[in-house]
Amino acid sequence: MEVQQKIDQMKQIYNLLITFLEDESNSSNNFINNEKIIDDKHEITDLLLLISNVSTNHHRSPNFTSKIEQILTHFESQIKSNYTSSELYEIFSTNMQILLFLFNKKLLTMNETIYNSLKDNKFFIPELNEYKKLHSTKIPDNFENKRRIGQNDDYLCTLIQNDLVEDFISYVHRSGVKLSITIKPSFFETNPFLINKTPSLIEYASFFGSKQIIMYMQYNGIELKPSLWLFAIHSNSADLIRFLESNHVKPDSEDEYITYFYEAIKCHHNNIANYILDYFIDSNKLYDITLTNYDSNFFNRAFQYRNYEFLPEDLHYKYYIFYLCQYRYYSLIKVFLDLTDLNINDRINDDISLKNINVTPIRIAAQKNYFDVVNLLLTSKHIFVTNRSFAGCELLSEIDIPSHVSVIEEGAFDGCRSLERITLLSSLTPINDYT
């Protein structure tokens, strides 16, 4: 399969997923019944990583969570037969609601590594107690239902979440709550943007797109500040964005619009992202950044959060293969390796971040412990094991160097404390003392 054909296929799957999740109906025929999605474990992994990123950051409409669970249930047998608990946890570690679903479906079981990662998270008290056979922790009332909802369970918060403006006004008058207070954190909160934050009431309302409550607070003297933009972007409400514009709510710096654009890409709120790009950003400046700054540009953000709408159209974009390796796009890397003009030993030349100088694609994959990607890169007949390719990879225990690899540079395996075996399948150029 050609590279562009593969990208188009993955973009089609992406668009089907976004359309399914944003459609208020419950029809799933266009996505989960698409049999072209799955061919092998690597393509399943691509799909699960996509689901993880979208479900973690996208605005949650009333049927959003149930639709995600519907998709995962559809692929339950493939998940069960292809993944260990540790592998599943690595894919969904940032999404508490999906982890809970996987625990309940017995697709994910607690082990020591997962326990150590979750042990301070009260959201998973039942699973943690069961693993350690503890029964002393008291479970709050309606605990399971509150976990299922996955949002701040404070009464005032529930009113804001649903934009129940009349109930909100009544509660404020009855309780004497000041509209200037901030929201207290709740361990039932599962949205990463809100976890451990204390937003103001109007910021919290902006996050949920609760325009009636926002207008009530504005009428009662609460200022509309630039901070509302980021919260409003998470609401995926074009109406709320226009409301901020009509009230002349602007950032302190024009460069902040780039931050808003990046956030919209992360959320997969692509209509808002395109609106900001079209009306508030100097596109020449934006694209200049993509050529000089590896870490802080919108292509990096698109690759990181698997937003296929904003991947580079130019397959020869200087950082393309690096981002594919950094964010584990196995299926795309596989077809990229067939490009005759691909320099798989290329090194990053970043004018901004010196830490990226001389980093190769295989080095990036090894640093992330994506050894499936490492082994795939090693199949390239042009690959070199370059200086410090695997340096510091403490989880690397064994590796086979294929017969077509003719060069291993000095320091390639420096600091690989767990490395027990290197199998060399060819005659190599001399390996220096510190390899």
Side-chain angles (χ1 to χ4, degrees):
M1 181 180 290
E2 294 184 359
V3 174
Q4 191 59 56
Q5 184 181 0
K6 183 63 178 177
I7 292 173
D8 290 343
Q9 182 191 72
M10 297 177 78
K11 187 173 180 179
Q12 180 186 22
I13 293 170
Y14 171 79
N15 287 328
L16 285 170
L17 175 63
I18 296 298
T19 299
F20 170 50
L21 294 174
E22 293 184 347
D23 186 356
E24 291 302 318
S25 73
N26 285 319
S27 173
S28 60
N29 293 336
N30 288 335
F31 182 75
I32 66 174
N33 292 331
N34 187 330
E35 299 301 330
K36 296 180 180 179
I37 291 177
I38 297 297
D39 277 339
D40 58 25
K41 179 177 179 177
H42 297 296
E43 293 195 348
I44 300 172
T45 301
D46 287 335
L47 176 63
L48 296 183
L49 286 168
L50 173 60
I51 291 171
S52 178
N53 278 281
V54 173
S55 61
T56 298
N57 298 294
H58 195 283
H59 172 74
R60 301 173 190 172
S61 58
N63 294 321
F64 185 87
T65 299
S66 63
K67 287 182 177 181
I68 293 294
E69 293 177 354
Q70 189 178 354
I71 296 169
L72 294 174
T73 299
H74 181 80
F75 295 108
E76 182 175 351
S77 61
Q78 291 98 319
I79 294 172
K80 195 168 188 177
S81 60
N82 281 286
Y83 297 92
T84 66
S85 287
S86 294
E87 288 173 329
L88 272 182
Y89 183 78
E90 181 182 0
I91 292 171
F92 293 110
S93 60
T94 60
N95 194 304
M96 292 159 61
Q97 284 191 306
I98 288 185
L99 290 178
L100 177 62
F101 173 78
L102 295 173
F103 276 129
N104 289 337
K105 295 285 285 188
K106 308 300 182 185
L107 295 171
L108 180 67
T109 56
M110 189 73 71
N111 59 35
E112 200 64 20
T113 300
I114 298 173
Y115 176 86
N116 287 333
S117 179
L118 295 177
K119 62 184 179 181
D120 296 322
N121 191 332
K122 295 180 180 179
F123 187 86
F124 292 105
I125 286 174
E127 290 74 24
L128 295 169
N129 285 351
E130 181 181 3
Y131 180 70
K132 289 298 184 180
K133 296 181 169 41
L134 300 174
H135 304 285
S136 58
T137 306
K138 183 179 179 181
I139 305 299
D141 294 337
N142 299 320
F143 186 83
E144 290 303 330
N145 184 55
K146 290 179 179 180
R147 287 208 296 178
R148 168 73 179 167
I149 295 171
Q151 294 178 163
N152 195 312
D153 60 322
D154 180 80
Y155 178 68
L156 186 60
C157 289
T158 63
L159 298 179
I160 295 174
Q161 291 157 15
N162 297 286
D163 202 14
L164 301 175
V165 65
E166 292 182 2
D167 293 339
F168 178 84
I169 295 171
S170 175
Y171 179 79
V172 168
H173 288 169
R174 188 173 65 251
S175 63
V177 169
K178 293 183 178 180
L179 297 178
S180 58
I181 67 169
T182 57
I183 300 292
K184 294 181 180 179
S186 165
F187 66 78
F188 290 110
E189 180 60 66
T190 59
N191 194 299
F193 188 77
L194 295 177
I195 290 175
N196 296 325
K197 282 192 173 81
T198 55
S200 65
L201 291 186
I202 199 167
E203 288 174 335
Y204 193 75
S206 297
F207 181 89
F208 289 95
S210 300
K211 187 180 173 184
Q212 294 183 87
I213 291 178
I214 293 170
M215 293 175 67
Y216 169 78
M217 285 191 278
Q218 180 195 23
Y219 180 79
N220 284 273
I222 299 299
E223 182 183 358
L224 301 178
K225 296 181 179 180
S227 64
L228 297 182
W229 268 89
L230 281 178
F231 289 88
I233 286 168
H234 277 263
S235 75
N236 200 23
S237 171
D239 188 38
L240 186 52
I241 297 296
R242 287 192 293 268
F243 173 78
L244 294 179
E245 286 185 87
S246 65
N247 282 275
H248 308 290
V249 181
K250 297 180 179 180
D252 296 328
S253 166
E254 292 295 316
D255 288 343
E256 280 298 300
Y257 284 117
I258 295 179
T259 300
Y260 303 159
F261 175 58
Y262 288 2
E263 194 71 12
I265 290 175
K266 182 183 83 170
C267 295
H268 302 268
H269 297 164
N270 296 332
N271 289 336
I272 291 177
N274 279 315
Y275 182 76
I276 295 171
L277 178 61
D278 290 342
Y279 291 98
F280 298 106
I281 293 177
D282 180 345
S283 59
N284 291 327
K285 180 178 180 179
L286 188 70
Y287 282 93
D288 284 345
I289 295 173
T290 68
L291 299 177
T292 58
N293 191 329
Y294 179 85
D295 288 320
S296 300
N297 73 72
F298 80 91
F299 286 150
N300 187 326
R301 184 61 60 98
F303 278 105
Q304 180 181 0
Y305 293 102
R306 282 180 147 70
N307 190 324
Y308 287 91
E309 282 296 308
F310 290 95
L311 296 188
E313 293 183 2
D314 181 7
L315 300 181
H316 297 93
Y317 170 59
K318 61 188 290 189
Y319 297 141
Y320 212 123
I321 188 64
F322 296 95
Y323 290 144
L324 292 179
C325 293
Q326 181 171 351
Y327 299 116
R328 199 182 179 187
Y329 285 75
Y330 185 99
S331 299
L332 270 181
I333 297 169
K334 188 175 181 179
V335 292
F336 256 79
L337 292 179
D338 292 332
L339 292 175
T340 56
D341 55 353
L342 174 68
N343 180 4
I344 196 60
N345 301 303
D346 199 7
R347 299 171 189 253
I348 293 176
N349 180 16
D350 189 331
D351 297 340
I352 305 296
S353 177
L354 294 178
K355 71 178 183 180
N356 291 317
I357 294 295
N358 291 327
V359 174
T360 61
I362 198 169
R363 169 66 175 160
I364 286 178
Q367 284 180 316
K368 302 287 288 186
N369 297 316
Y370 296 153
F371 298 122
D372 56 342
V373 173
V374 168
N375 289 327
L376 177 60
L377 293 173
L378 286 172
T379 66
S380 170
K381 294 181 180 180
H382 306 290
I383 193 78
F384 295 156
V385 178
T386 57
N387 183 344
R388 298 184 62 77
S389 283
F390 299 97
C393 296
E394 296 185 0
L395 298 182
L396 181 65
S397 59
E398 58 183 44
I399 191 168
D400 295 333
I401 306 297
S403 58
H404 55 261
V405 177
S406 59
V407 175
I408 297 181
E409 293 184 355
E410 177 181 342
F413 296 97
D414 187 26
C416 296
R417 299 178 182 178
S418 301
L419 186 60
E420 297 179 354
R421 178 182 64 82
I422 305 176
T423 302
L424 306 177
L425 303 177
S426 69
S427 177
L428 298 162
T429 58
I431 299 178
N432 294 316
D433 292 342
Y434 296 100
T435 299

